[in-house]
Amino acid sequence: MAETANPRPEDEVVDIARDLIRIDTTNTGDNATAKGERAAAEYVAEKLAEVGLEPKIYESAPGRASVACRFPGADPSRGALLLHGHLDVVPAEASEWTVHPFGGEIKDGYLFGRGAVDMKDFDAMLLALVRDWKRSGKVPPRDLVLLFTADEEAGSDYGARFMVERHPEVFEGVTEAVGEVGGFSMTLPNDLRVYVVQTAEKGLDWLRLRATGRPGHGSMLHDDNAVTRLTRAVANIGQHDFPVEMTPTVRQFLESVSELTGVEFDPSNPDEAVAKLGPIARLVGATLRNTANPTRLNAGYKTNVIPSTAEAVIDCRSLPGRNDELEATLKELAGAGIDFEYEIRQPGYETSFDGALVDAMAEAIRLADPGARTVPYMLSGGTDAKAFATLGIRCFGFAPLKLPADLDFTALFHGIDERVPLSGLKFGVDAMDRFVSRS
């Protein structure tokens, strides 16, 4: 009887991504309602063990599970490379989608589902790659530490931060890390593709504002109203125009794009250059300044009762090294009588766009997509990299995807009908193979 041939990684990546999407790993931010992470971790562990690796599952709370393993390399004296992805996803309302968000449906050349780009696509690329290498006997140049985490979508306390704080031995010898959100292609006005490598990300400053006042009857004259005080503070913050503060990463990105396209970049007015970038302008524009967006309000319990307290939540994102500056501005805008309490406060991160690992990324992209270029950029959101950076690990976002020029890729993150092109998944495995081989 003939032996069954091993699947090619570019074919297996689609199946693995589809399987992962079908495991509902919705992270609500509440342990009582978050689900599926343990099942996803067990699936990943099984895929790794099947080819001879030795994964271990780490549970930070019931059901909140991450999985890690080490793939020994040819030169153990070199610093290890951490390849990481998260298994949780944000909630999805099925009635808003054209397909079921956890159905893993394939149509029109795309794989649909919550997590298709954030980030079960990269999880699948890593699994397909290492499974192929183990089956074929290929050895990485240095040790690889593979880590698939819980809880990235709610601040990483039960995932990456738990691993860093409680299981630092997993990261022994790790000097560099690669994860989301970078490596995807962006088509410039002259039809040149550039692949953006994340070398920086903004800080995460989720802030709760609380106002107190004198409670009373809604029919009376009242000059000490907590709701009035809070809403004035929220309006001042939400309408504030934060000044441009260009970091080295953003400046290098805009200078590179200007050089490649001929679009003039005026350092005194970077918004003008960003506006010409197309769909990615929303993401890049948010990295030119601190941001603070009110997202939730809560006050009162009856129409005719003036409450004693009122609360609001502000989603603040600070530029690297600017979180104290942001807080001072917000307190000035809020005015007197407003208490500040952080739900999450994690500083931003930035590294330089240089070194052998960056060269390996550029070479991998050049070989996979001749004529394309890599450029650095800053992510306006956040990733698990913030946790790993506390160990002195140099972190990058490089999850390669070759995308159609007309696809508004950044809108798919946490969006309706999240999807990834099948051709992009297959491209990603090929590019990661070339990259890890040179890392």
Side-chain angles (χ1 to χ4, degrees):
M1 183 175 177
E3 291 186 7
T4 302
N6 288 325
R8 299 182 306 167
E10 58 267 33
D11 293 328
E12 190 173 39
V13 68
V14 176
D15 294 334
I16 293 173
R18 200 175 192 186
D19 288 346
L20 287 170
I21 286 170
R22 287 172 171 170
I23 303 172
D24 181 352
T25 53
T26 297
N27 186 355
T28 61
D30 177 4
N31 280 357
T33 53
K35 57 185 176 181
E37 290 169 338
R38 176 80 196 197
E42 289 174 351
Y43 172 89
V44 168
E46 181 181 345
K47 289 294 183 184
L48 294 170
E50 196 172 75
V51 292
L53 290 167
E54 299 179 357
K56 182 176 179 180
I57 292 176
Y58 299 81
E59 199 167 62
S60 54
R64 311 305 304 272
S66 302
V67 57
C69 77
R70 188 172 289 253
F71 189 163
D75 185 356
S77 68
R78 293 182 59 198
L81 175 64
L82 172 65
L83 299 174
H84 63 94
H86 63 83
L87 297 172
D88 62 320
V89 298
V90 296
E93 179 55 58
S95 63
E96 298 176 337
W97 287 53
T98 62
V99 299
H100 195 283
F102 300 104
E105 186 169 331
I106 293 174
K107 68 173 187 175
D108 302 325
Y110 285 84
L111 172 61
F112 283 70
R114 179 59 86 218
V117 298
D118 188 14
M119 63 172 299
K120 291 178 176 179
D121 57 340
F122 190 55
D123 295 334
M125 289 181 208
L126 295 181
L127 289 170
L129 176 66
V130 299
R131 281 168 60 83
D132 180 63
W133 279 29
K134 284 294 289 183
R135 286 191 296 248
S136 64
K138 189 173 181 179
V139 178
R142 53 171 160 163
D143 282 8
L144 302 179
V145 174
L146 301 159
L147 177 61
F148 301 84
T149 60
D151 198 37
E152 191 274 346
E153 296 291 2
S156 306
D157 284 349
Y158 292 94
R161 292 190 177 275
F162 170 79
M163 294 299 296
V164 165
E165 294 167 7
R166 300 285 296 275
H167 296 283
E169 71 280 359
V170 168
F171 307 94
E172 183 179 354
V174 172
T175 56
E176 296 163 307
V178 171
E180 59 173 353
V181 175
F184 58 91
S185 69
M186 181 181 78
T187 303
L188 299 177
N190 58 357
D191 290 330
L192 172 68
R193 272 189 302 278
V194 297
Y195 289 77
V196 291
V197 175
Q198 184 198 325
T199 56
E201 60 181 60
K202 294 179 80 175
L204 185 61
D205 307 85
W206 287 354
L207 184 62
R208 184 179 297 276
L209 273 56
R210 181 179 294 106
T212 57
R214 189 175 69 253
H217 199 289
S219 68
M220 303 292 184
L221 294 175
H222 207 88
D223 60 359
D224 186 19
N225 191 316
V227 175
T228 303
R229 185 175 296 115
L230 178 78
T231 53
R232 184 183 299 117
V234 169
N236 286 343
I237 290 171
Q239 294 169 358
H240 183 67
D241 187 14
F242 288 89
V244 170
E245 299 181 71
M246 267 197 298
T247 65
T249 294
V250 174
R251 178 180 290 274
Q252 190 173 356
F253 171 83
L254 292 173
E255 288 175 344
S256 297
V257 170
S258 176
E259 176 189 339
L260 293 169
T261 64
V263 173
E264 185 177 351
F265 164 51
D266 179 359
S268 66
N269 186 18
D271 283 313
E272 183 179 7
V274 169
K276 300 174 183 178
L277 295 178
I280 201 173
R282 291 195 305 275
L283 185 152
V284 177
T287 64
L288 290 172
R289 49 179 60 80
N290 292 326
T291 59
N293 289 306
T295 56
R296 291 160 54 199
L297 292 168
N298 183 43
Y301 55 90
K302 198 171 186 292
T303 303
N304 63 347
V305 177
I306 297 171
S308 61
T309 62
E311 294 186 348
V313 174
I314 315 290
D315 184 348
C316 307
R317 308 289 174 134
S318 55
L319 295 170
R322 311 293 208 284
N323 54 331
D324 288 339
E325 171 191 296
L326 174 60
E327 181 182 291
T329 299
L330 295 178
K331 286 186 173 179
E332 182 179 347
L333 291 168
I338 302 293
D339 294 326
F340 279 38
E341 178 186 345
Y342 285 98
E343 291 186 353
I344 296 176
R345 195 180 196 201
Q346 300 173 4
Y349 173 79
E350 187 166 26
T351 190
S352 54
F353 187 60
D354 55 19
L357 199 69
V358 169
D359 292 342
M361 294 175 191
E363 179 68 2
I365 291 298
R366 186 187 67 79
L367 292 172
D369 187 2
R373 294 275 298 273
T374 52
V375 299
Y377 92 112
M378 179 187 292
L379 177 66
S380 61
T383 75
D384 281 338
K386 289 187 180 68
F388 306 136
T390 64
L391 296 176
I393 297 170
R394 193 176 180 211
C395 299
F396 298 89
F398 184 72
L401 285 173
K402 184 179 180 181
L403 301 170
D406 60 351
L407 180 66
D408 188 354
F409 183 64
T410 58
L412 298 178
F413 284 81
H414 299 187
I416 296 168
D417 284 347
E418 182 180 348
R419 61 197 181 276
V420 63
L422 301 181
S423 60
L425 281 171
K426 296 175 182 181
F427 172 89
V429 171
D430 177 58
M432 282 300 294
D433 187 299
R434 298 174 191 272
F435 163 65
V436 176
S437 296
R438 292 164 174 77
S439 66

